[in-house]
Amino acid sequence: MSEKIKEIPPDLKERQREGFKLEWRKELRKAIPVKERMKIPLQKMPTRDAEERNKHFQEVNKGLNADQAQAEAKRCLDCANPQCVMGCPVRIDIPAFVKLIEAGKYVESARKLKETNSLPSICGRVCPQETQCEEVCNLKKATGVGVAIGNLERFASDCEREQEEVHIPKIPPSTGRKIAVLGAGPAGLTVAGELAKKGHQVTVFEALHVAGGVLVYGIPEFRLPKAILEAEVDYLRQLGVEFKMNYVVGMTASLDDLKNEGYEAFFVGTGAGLPNFMRVPGENLIGIYSANEYLTRVNLMRAYDFPRYDTPVFLGKRAAVLGGGNVAMDSVRTAKRLGAEFSAIVYRRSRVEMPARVEEVYHAEEEGIEFHFLTTPTRFIGDENNHVKAMECLRMELGEPDSSGRRRPVPIEGSEFIMEVDLVVVAIGNSPNPLIPQSIPELKVGKWGNIEVDWDTMATNMEGVYAGGDIVRGGATVILAMGDARIAAMEMHKYLSTKKK
Amino acid sequence: MTKILRRERLVPNIHLIEVEAPEISRKAQPGQFVMLMPDEKGERIPLTIADWDKEKGTVTSVFMVVGTSTQKLTMLEAGDDIPVYVGPLGKPAEIEKFGTVVCAAGCYGIGAIYPIARALKEAGNKVITVLDLKANYLLYWEERLQAVSDDIFVSSRDGYYDCKDYIPQVLGGVLKGNKVDRVVSIGCTYLMYTCSETTRPLGIKTIVSLNPVMVDGTGMCGACRCTVEGRNKFACVDGPDFDGHSVDWQELFFRRKSYFEDEITSLCYWEKENLLKS
């Protein structure tokens, strides 16, 4: 599945050029010479103390203060040829919003962000900026340390919300066209926001009882507070988006039923909701969870507050999380917060191959998480009550690169050893959820069950049906899902504009 | 929010809940289930759909009181709302003309098997219903089941109805006296297990409706994974119906008891907070 990122649309490019030429931007550039700007040190994100925060669920990052944000914004050189925009899957006009922060116009900065990104306070927290916009920053090329764009994105959008300056843009008169969005995750929320702003009547159908998808059941409070997400969902409601919760399209109603109700265009953003397991003996012992189940119990169902909330979760003393991605980091840090004395990542490759964000790995290490690299479980061993008590592991070494370009882990013969554990979380990825493809047989899917799309338009093989995010990609990031969603929303708008009622 | 239209005790410890859910009532098929939450702090639990009325837009389930969630449900009355009621979920039961089908059920399964028996009868099968009770006063819906069955046997440990045998003996007797093409069994795990073991040597296809712990009910979490034919299956999207001869029953038994101690803690906490205060 390609991670296709499209060229900057010509109109956006034009707007960026115009922005660069604005008088106030020129003045800012003149005010501080490039050499001076390059001397300003990177502003460190303030965090809660590791030994305090690994016992509760409050947000780890506290956000830059205004002085820090100003200093960080000044580090941006406002280049004539900014590379950062090309690194962003949704093509945020990054220099524009950063320079608005430098000018002290925080609320305007947030509004600039919202022109291209419906959910900036979320992206400012969970996007892997270090491999996207920040990776290609010209300042990084020059000095080795780029502008902390993500922290600035978070700062501006938090200011707008905290100052209660969130404003509802003027929405054109209703087009009277009904659009159904399947799934209230990052892709669905983005499509809903974009199309509502064009005056369409958007309904989001969500299977769970809370909107947000992976943002609510997966990403923990300590990385993305629920209140932030709720504010974003509220914003969409104010844009006129209707949410139908507890509604599984394909089961509660078919796509044809929705067509009969007058829905004319559809976006499928139902995510990669089918967890993969290791397929080794003993994996169904008690105390072994998929990351989805573990995180859903804790985040969505609030098992951390059991028995005040009814849903329980095992509180392991010795927790092993299998995998090396962000979901694995979220799980292992959650286990620590729920009282595990030993909470470890067990990953079959080495540190450099880990897909998790550097920041998450760093925070995890600070919090006392152990890392066991080049290790893979071969079987799980249960006690007399069939609760997992240990896993047999094998040491690995790195061989030749595989299809992902990473060096393939190869087992070292005779290296078996026993690791004592009473909680295991399997965080080795997900497959696309089968409910939608099963319920719409004419929808074309690939061999992994992912919906096939034309990457230029995100259109499926069915007229008026578009898809994006993990149901297409199989398991990617929030921002790539949102990038797909923006393309789909533009195309859906075009489709409805040319289609007769 | 979903409105409750009726909630009543059918027999000790087994209740009926009927809700207003027009869309679900239009889609419901025998063998499917709903996920619900009794209140904002509750668990998401699956209940098999026991009946529905497309015209009135209502859906009915029968449940046994086992933990906090089901205890909470028994406190609700007509007019109350519950925050989560989603469905219909799971694959529908296979309904065809098989010939002669035995429907074997106990406890909440007596309600759950009713729409399957009804559909099998409508499809032209000879339906023989076998019900298993701990005691005579636990029988309900016998008239409804009689109406869709060609024959019905009720066994309770006190011998009040037809006999007092356990289900393997009753089912074994029925299988001896009839050429049976298929058995469908719903009830507690042990009942479904013993039915499957009774038919295994005879090679009669036996369908069971598995009841593992679930969280989302749409395939997302894998809490309900069961080993069937040696492979991992999710009861919520691959089932809940499976071939009883292929199920790893021992695993299902222990996985169902995963939260045994937590369930007691939860119920004690809830009783202390809610029943003792008033």
Side-chain angles (χ1 to χ4, degrees):
Chain A
M1 274 156 268
S2 103
E3 291 199 354
K4 182 170 169 100
I5 291 176
K6 306 222 315 176
E7 289 300 303
I8 301 184
D11 60 322
L12 201 62
K13 214 167 199 167
E14 195 46 46
R15 282 218 308 272
Q16 280 172 26
R17 275 201 207 100
E18 280 167 20
F20 181 75
K21 287 185 224 152
L22 287 172
E23 272 311 308
W24 68 269
R25 292 264 292 266
K26 277 187 198 165
E27 275 167 33
L28 280 185
R29 283 197 294 271
K30 256 190 254 163
I32 308 172
V34 168
K35 265 192 187 165
E36 293 302 313
R37 290 182 184 273
M38 285 168 66
K39 281 187 204 156
I40 304 171
L42 175 83
Q43 301 298 302
K44 278 219 177 97
M45 171 62 82
T47 56
R48 281 176 211 281
D49 180 65
E51 275 310 306
E52 171 231 318
R53 74 181 188 236
N54 66 11
K55 293 171 189 66
H56 60 58
F57 281 85
Q58 286 172 44
E59 195 177 13
V60 170
N61 287 340
K62 296 200 273 195
L64 302 179
N65 63 34
D67 290 342
Q68 285 180 302
Q70 290 266 322
E72 190 61 37
K74 281 175 186 156
R75 298 183 68 233
C76 169
L77 308 178
D78 199 7
C79 331
N81 183 22
Q83 294 303 302
C84 48
V85 184
M86 287 304 292
C88 172
V90 301
R91 299 283 182 256
I92 291 173
D93 187 351
I94 292 166
F97 98 80
V98 171
K99 289 300 125 179
L100 282 165
I101 293 176
E102 185 177 334
K105 296 176 179 170
Y106 307 144
V107 173
E108 279 180 50
S109 174
R111 287 176 192 162
K112 175 56 77 179
L113 277 161
K114 280 190 173 164
E115 285 177 13
T116 41
N117 182 348
S118 315
L119 311 165
S121 59
I122 292 170
C123 290
R125 287 174 165 80
V126 304
C127 263
Q129 289 97 2
E130 63 282 357
T131 62
Q132 296 178 343
C133 53
E134 295 176 9
E135 169 77 10
V136 293
C137 170
N138 284 332
L139 181 69
K140 184 177 181 184
K141 281 177 206 149
T143 66
V145 187
V147 179
I149 299 166
N151 293 348
L152 291 173
E153 180 180 25
R154 171 188 163 146
F155 172 79
S157 48
D158 280 1
C159 279
E160 187 198 29
R161 190 186 60 258
E162 283 159 15
Q163 295 172 19
E164 295 179 4
E165 286 286 349
V166 176
H167 85 143
I168 305 304
K170 206 167 160 3
I171 292 172
S174 171
T175 60
R177 315 300 284 263
K178 283 170 80 175
I179 294 167
V181 173
L182 283 44
L189 294 179
T190 302
V191 166
E194 294 301 319
L195 291 173
K197 280 193 274 185
K198 300 245 191 281
H200 301 301
Q201 195 182 327
V202 185
T203 307
V204 181
F205 296 90
E206 166 59 43
L208 289 173
H209 52 287
V210 186
V214 73
L215 304 172
V216 65
Y217 72 73
I219 300 180
E221 179 84 10
F222 59 81
R223 228 157 48 85
L224 176 65
K226 301 286 165 287
I228 306 281
L229 176 65
E230 280 163 22
E232 299 286 12
V233 173
D234 264 355
Y235 173 74
L236 294 179
R237 284 208 174 92
Q238 290 177 52
L239 289 179
V241 175
E242 187 196 357
F243 285 87
K244 280 203 176 178
M245 312 306 294
N246 305 309
Y247 201 112
V248 187
V249 177
M251 304 300 280
T252 313
S254 68
L255 204 69
D256 284 337
D257 292 333
L258 296 182
K259 279 184 187 164
N260 291 337
E261 283 179 35
Y263 290 95
E264 295 182 75
F266 300 84
F267 178 80
V268 185
T270 46
L274 193 75
N276 297 336
F277 285 93
M278 301 285 294
R279 300 187 182 185
V280 299
E283 198 167 20
N284 289 355
L285 287 167
I286 303 172
I288 304 180
Y289 289 112
S290 75
N292 278 359
E293 181 184 354
Y294 184 65
L295 293 171
T296 299
R297 282 180 180 273
V298 178
N299 297 331
L300 180 72
M301 306 308 295
R302 309 197 187 190
Y304 61 82
D305 205 2
F306 178 85
R308 259 171 40 80
Y309 284 77
D310 298 347
T311 303
V313 70
F314 293 115
L315 305 174
K317 285 290 160 211
R318 293 184 56 83
V321 175
L322 314 177
N326 289 318
V327 176
M329 295 305 142
D330 287 341
S331 304
V332 78
R333 295 169 71 193
T334 295
K336 184 83 191 173
R337 281 162 171 75
L338 292 176
E341 287 150 16
F342 166 87
S343 192
I345 287 286
V346 174
Y347 183 49
R348 65 197 182 114
R349 300 178 195 250
S350 76
R351 177 180 293 265
V352 291
E353 288 90 11
M354 272 202 300
R357 294 185 64 190
V358 177
E359 183 185 49
E360 304 312 322
V361 177
Y362 177 70
H363 282 164
E365 282 181 320
E366 279 189 331
E367 289 165 12
I369 303 303
E370 289 185 30
F371 288 79
H372 295 257
F373 296 113
L374 293 165
T375 305
T376 196
T378 46
R379 68 187 172 100
F380 299 97
I381 302 157
D383 64 13
E384 65 281 7
N385 298 317
N386 292 298
H387 195 114
V388 65
K389 66 170 183 182
M391 54 184 198
E392 184 189 76
C393 297
L394 207 54
R395 301 255 186 235
M396 315 289 275
E397 58 191 353
L398 292 178
E400 297 298 309
D402 63 13
S403 58
S404 75
R406 299 178 296 180
R407 291 177 64 192
R408 184 194 302 275
V410 186
I412 302 172
E413 240 175 84
S415 66
E416 287 89 349
F417 70 99
I418 298 288
M419 185 184 285
E420 281 181 28
V421 289
D422 60 0
L423 171 68
V424 175
V425 179
V426 184
I428 57 167
N430 292 285
S431 302
N433 191 289
L435 283 182
I436 290 288
Q438 272 173 16
S439 71
I440 315 171
E442 57 268 50
L443 195 62
K444 200 174 164 202
V445 295
K447 70 171 169 176
W448 306 110
N450 54 297
I451 296 177
E452 291 195 347
V453 293
D454 169 358
W455 286 99
D456 290 329
T457 60
M458 303 313 287
T460 68
N461 65 312
M462 290 173 68
E463 193 194 316
V465 181
Y466 297 75
D470 281 0
I471 189 73
V472 170
R473 293 172 180 274
T477 60
V478 169
I479 190 70
L480 283 168
M482 291 171 55
D484 293 348
R486 278 186 60 79
I487 296 169
M490 279 189 304
E491 295 295 326
M492 289 166 82
H493 177 62
K494 259 194 247 170
Y495 168 75
L496 287 176
S497 310
T498 51
K499 179 179 178 265
K500 276 199 191 132
K501 264 192 200 174
Chain B
M1 285 288 182
T2 298
K3 187 167 293 302
I4 295 175
L5 300 173
R6 191 152 63 108
R7 199 278 314 146
E8 64 184 38
R9 197 185 78 168
L10 294 170
V11 294
N13 225 31
I14 292 180
H15 294 242
L16 171 150
I17 182 170
E18 183 179 10
V19 306
E20 187 180 82
E23 281 168 314
I24 301 175
S25 77
R26 285 200 289 272
K27 290 288 172 187
Q29 294 182 65
Q32 290 187 301
F33 64 94
V34 293
M35 295 294 300
L36 64 82
M37 256 167 83
D39 62 26
E40 300 288 349
K41 289 182 177 171
E43 270 193 281
R44 292 172 64 94
I45 58 162
L47 293 184
T48 307
I49 298 174
D51 203 2
W52 59 89
D53 186 324
K54 284 185 192 23
E55 272 69 49
K56 286 193 203 148
T58 63
V59 179
T60 300
S61 287
V62 171
F63 64 93
M64 194 162 76
V65 185
V66 284
T68 310
S69 299
T70 42
Q71 182 68 57
K72 281 176 172 178
L73 284 181
T74 65
M75 312 288 283
L76 298 171
E77 298 297 344
D80 288 340
D81 287 319
I82 51 174
V84 174
Y85 194 89
V86 54
L89 298 169
K91 290 189 170 157
E94 273 181 0
I95 305 294
E96 282 173 37
K97 187 169 179 188
F98 298 109
T100 300
V101 182
V102 175
C103 291
C107 48
Y108 76 90
I110 296 173
I113 211 161
Y114 167 67
I116 296 175
R118 180 175 62 190
L120 286 167
K121 181 72 190 163
E122 280 167 11
N125 293 285
K126 179 182 176 188
V127 174
I128 303 172
T129 297
V130 176
L131 303 181
D132 186 70
L133 315 169
K134 285 249 185 299
N136 62 27
Y137 54 81
L138 296 175
L139 183 63
Y140 62 94
W141 280 23
E142 67 273 29
E143 284 173 12
R144 303 183 105 196
L145 279 161
Q146 240 152 19
V148 297
S149 306
D150 294 86
D151 224 336
I152 186 161
F153 295 91
V154 181
S155 172
S156 59
R157 292 305 87 78
D158 48 27
Y160 185 84
Y161 300 102
D162 299 316
C163 64
K164 56 177 162 184
D165 291 335
Y166 285 96
I167 200 135
Q169 286 78 42
V170 184
L171 180 57
V174 170
L175 297 178
K176 260 190 204 136
N178 297 271
K179 191 199 151 290
V180 171
D181 299 285
R182 175 176 279 236
V183 173
V184 180
S185 174
I186 308 186
C188 67
T189 313
Y190 192 73
L191 178 131
M192 294 190 285
Y193 162 69
T194 51
C195 283
S196 299
E197 291 312 307
T198 306
T199 56
R200 190 193 295 273
L202 304 170
I204 299 169
K205 179 106 169 173
T206 299
I207 302 298
V208 292
S209 175
L210 298 190
N211 48 5
V213 173
M214 291 187 187
V215 182
D216 70 293
T218 62
M220 189 268 282
C221 82
C224 65
R225 63 193 193 271
C226 302
T227 302
V228 181
E229 286 174 16
R231 288 166 56 193
N232 236 352
K233 295 281 179 188
F234 289 3
C236 65
V237 289
D238 300 321
D241 287 5
F242 292 103
D243 180 343
H245 299 153
S246 306
V247 171
D248 183 337
W249 291 100
Q250 297 313 314
E251 181 184 280
L252 182 64
F253 281 127
F254 76 68
R255 280 188 68 81
R256 271 184 53 78
K257 286 191 188 144
S258 296
Y259 296 99
F260 190 66
E261 282 171 27
D262 287 329
E263 281 165 15
I264 294 167
T265 307
S266 172
L267 195 53
C268 290
Y269 176 87
W270 180 82
E271 285 182 355
K272 208 174 100 195
E273 290 292 306
N274 294 277
L275 301 184
L276 300 180
K277 273 183 183 167
S278 52

